[in-house]
Amino acid sequence: PDIRALAQWWQDEISRLDQRDVIARVRTEAGLDGRYMFMVLMSAGIAILGLLQSSPAVVIGAMLISPLMGPIIGLGFALATIDSAEIRRTILALAVGAVVAVAFTALIVVVSPLQNVTGELAARTRPNLFDLVIAVLSALAGTYATIRGRAGTVVGVAIATALMPPLATIGFGIATLNGTVASGAALLFVTNFVAITLTAAVMARLYGFARSLSPRQTMLGTLIVIAAFGGLAIPLGLSLRQIAWETRVSRDVRTVLADEFG
């Protein structure tokens, strides 16, 4: 009976959905325009200043106003429906926004007297498997909120996935010629980007936004999702294992030192 009730709830969810309205809202938030570029610049500037000062509150402010979630979720819907024109439009918006954010933050770091790797910067240079899980769970919540018109939830998702701070950290790494920082932050951004995009695509299909696709196209999409998550999970899992090992060793060293020297 519980399974039948769950199936009936899902059918009701889909039947009450106005797909045209959802697609219109997603496309509105996914475009490249003056508002989008202005918000990219503002959020990038706030993010790098917060990272340089190691201020979590300032960094959270940058996450809240970052517009990058729009084109990423838009790309997920475009992939679900195999809309080539929309795929190109959202990728262009995301690519331009990312490049502008990295360049702007690098410029700020170059002219800044503060160029030390702070705790907030270091926290975004070693992504692990937990970051992938967080991104997937956040994307599920964010896509559901987008489909059901609950914009307030997307704010929490923006904080959880942190798309702008990794880009600002990449800019810091480039400006200070620190390849370790730049590459680590790039992996975190790619992890969040891929996880949100593919999860949004899966949710869009579950809600019936891709009914015109053939079984072959559906199978191909499923294989791509599995391969992408598998490709990310391997290096992130190894990173989590290394972090866990370092934590254990550090704890053991502190215990030995405390026993010997008090």
Side-chain angles (χ1 to χ4, degrees):
D2 292 338
I3 296 177
R4 288 199 296 269
L6 181 62
Q8 184 60 47
W9 170 79
W10 188 254
Q11 290 296 326
D12 293 341
E13 279 280 298
I14 296 175
S15 63
R16 293 197 302 266
L17 190 64
D18 185 347
Q19 291 195 358
R20 291 184 178 180
D21 178 63
V22 173
I23 291 294
R25 281 190 283 108
V26 169
R27 289 181 176 177
T28 299
E29 295 295 324
L32 177 61
D33 53 23
R35 180 200 65 83
Y36 172 79
M37 293 307 304
F38 177 78
M39 295 304 289
V40 164
L41 289 171
M42 295 304 99
S43 60
I46 293 172
I48 191 60
L49 293 175
L51 292 169
L52 290 173
Q53 297 180 89
S54 199
S55 172
V58 176
V59 175
I60 290 173
M63 299 176 194
L64 289 174
I65 67 172
S66 171
L68 296 176
M69 187 67 72
I72 292 179
I73 290 183
L75 178 58
F77 275 77
L79 290 174
T81 57
I82 311 185
D83 186 339
S84 58
E86 193 64 17
I87 289 173
R88 289 193 297 270
R89 191 174 80 98
T90 52
I91 288 179
L92 176 64
L94 182 63
V96 172
V99 170
V100 168
V102 170
F104 186 55
T105 53
L107 178 63
I108 292 176
V109 173
V110 168
V111 300
S112 169
L114 301 176
Q115 295 187 351
N116 296 326
V117 179
T118 63
E120 286 292 316
L121 283 164
R124 285 158 179 91
T125 60
R126 297 190 69 184
N128 58 68
L129 192 58
F130 285 169
D131 292 301
L132 178 62
V133 175
I134 291 170
V136 171
L137 296 178
S138 300
L140 287 172
T143 307
Y144 177 79
T146 299
I147 292 174
R148 303 307 304 172
R150 294 175 172 85
T153 306
V154 180
V155 173
V157 174
I159 297 175
T161 51
L163 293 164
M164 185 56 74
L167 289 177
T169 305
I170 295 173
F172 174 90
I174 292 174
T176 57
L177 302 179
N178 191 327
T180 301
V181 168
S183 60
L187 179 57
L188 177 58
F189 177 77
V190 170
T191 297
N192 289 337
F193 161 63
V194 172
I196 296 170
T197 300
L198 296 182
T199 304
V202 171
M203 283 286 286
R205 290 194 174 187
L206 290 176
Y207 267 95
F209 284 87
R211 292 172 181 167
S212 60
L213 298 184
S214 66
R216 181 179 179 182
Q217 290 173 321
T218 301
M219 179 59 70
L220 178 61
T222 302
L223 292 176
I224 291 174
V225 170
I226 294 173
F229 278 118
L232 283 173
I234 292 173
L236 294 174
L238 294 174
S239 176
L240 178 61
R241 182 181 178 183
Q242 176 68 17
I243 292 172
W245 177 82
E246 292 174 4
T247 302
R248 288 195 301 269
V249 171
S250 178
R251 183 182 63 245
D252 293 342
V253 169
R254 284 197 302 269
T255 301
V256 171
L257 291 175
D259 292 341
E260 291 292 329
F261 302 105

